[in-house]
Amino acid sequence: MTNALIEAKQFIEGKLTKKPQVGLILGSGLGVLADEIQEAVTVPYSDIPGFPTSTVAGHKGQLVIGTLNGKSVVAMQGRFHFYEGYDMSLVTLPVRVMKAIGVTDLIVTNAAGGVNESYEPGDLMLIEDHINNFGTNPLIGPNDEEMGPRFPDMSEAYTKDHLSLATETAKELGVNVQKGVYVGNTGPCYETPAEVRMLRAMGGDAVGMSTVPEVIVARHSGLKVLGISCISNMAAGILDQPLHHDEVIETTEKVKANFLALVKEIVGKM
Ligand code: 6GU
C-alpha cells in the first residue's frame, strides 16, 4: 500500500463502528441517495489525508458511512474526475480506500449522455460493459502485486450476478431499465456529433466522463461491480439542441425517485 492509502485508511477506520460491505459512488445529481443512509457519519474529503477536494457543481465532496436498507455502506457524495486535472491515482484512490476498509461490492453511478438512439433522457441504464476511451489507464506504472495482478482480466468488468440482481429488482419494482455499454471519455467538453457517431459505431450506448477508471481499479482489487447510468440527455447530433450541465442536473432530479428505490432495494439484497 502507498502511504496515501495507509493514511486515508487509518483515518476513516477511526470513524467506523463496523466494516462497510457495499461502496457507492454517486454521480452528478445522484448524491441524494446518501441522504437515505441511517446512523450516518459524514467525513468531508478535505479532512481525509491525501484526498483532493471535489470541485464540480452538483457534487458535495464527502463520504457518508452508515446503514442503507440493512446493509453497511460507505458512499461517496461526489467523485474526482480526470478532467479536473487530478491524476488517475487520485481519481481512483477512493476505490483503493474502500477495498482497504473492507468493501467487497461496489455500485458505481453516473449521469451519461445517450448514444443509443432508442434511449430517452431519464432512462436508467445498467452497465453491461465499458469502453475505456480515456487514452490512459489508472494501472499504468509499477504494479504492487499486493493490490492486484499486473494484467487484470476484464472479461467480466461488471459482475454478472449483480447485473441479474439489478435486472430482477428493477422488474419487481416496475422500474424500466436499459442495458448497454458505457464509453468513458476524458471531457470536459461534450462530444461533437461526429464523435458521437464514432462512439455508436464502436458499440457504445452511453457516454460520460467518469466510472471507467474507478471500475478498472475496482476489478484490479477484486471488488464486484455494478454500474448504473442515468441518461440525463442525448449526446450531440441526436436531438437538434446544444448540451448544458444544467440539463444533466434537471433530468437526474426527475428520475431520482426511481433511482433511489432501485439502488436501495439492490443494496438490501447484496
Ligand atoms: Cl453527452 N457526454 C459526456 N461525455 N458526458 C456526459 C454527457 C455527454 N451527458 C452527461 N454526461
Side-chain angles (χ1 to χ4, degrees), residues 111-114 185 187 189-191 207-209 232-236 243 248:
N185 272 353
C189 60
Y190 294 116
E191 300 69 31
V207 59
M209 307 176 192
S232 53
N233 51 269
M234 296 308 286
L243 303 178
V248 174

Side-chain angles (χ1 to χ4, degrees), residues 66-95:
T67 307
L68 185 65
N69 202 5
K71 290 287 147 74
S72 170
V73 303
V74 52
M76 289 185 75
Q77 225 172 7
R79 57 150 62 82
F80 308 121
H81 296 89
F82 190 56
Y83 64 73
E84 292 174 271
Y86 302 124
D87 46 71
M88 281 291 183
S89 58
L90 279 179
V91 170
T92 58
L93 175 63
V95 178

Side-chain angles (χ1 to χ4, degrees), residues 199-210:
L199 300 182
R200 193 177 301 125
M202 287 197 309
D205 295 296
V207 59
M209 307 176 192
S210 67

Side-chain angles (χ1 to χ4, degrees), residues 45-67:
Y45 296 154
S46 53
D47 289 357
I48 306 173
F51 266 49
T53 341
S54 179
T55 57
V56 183
H59 293 259
K60 252 188 195 162
Q62 59 186 19
L63 289 183
V64 183
I65 307 167
T67 307

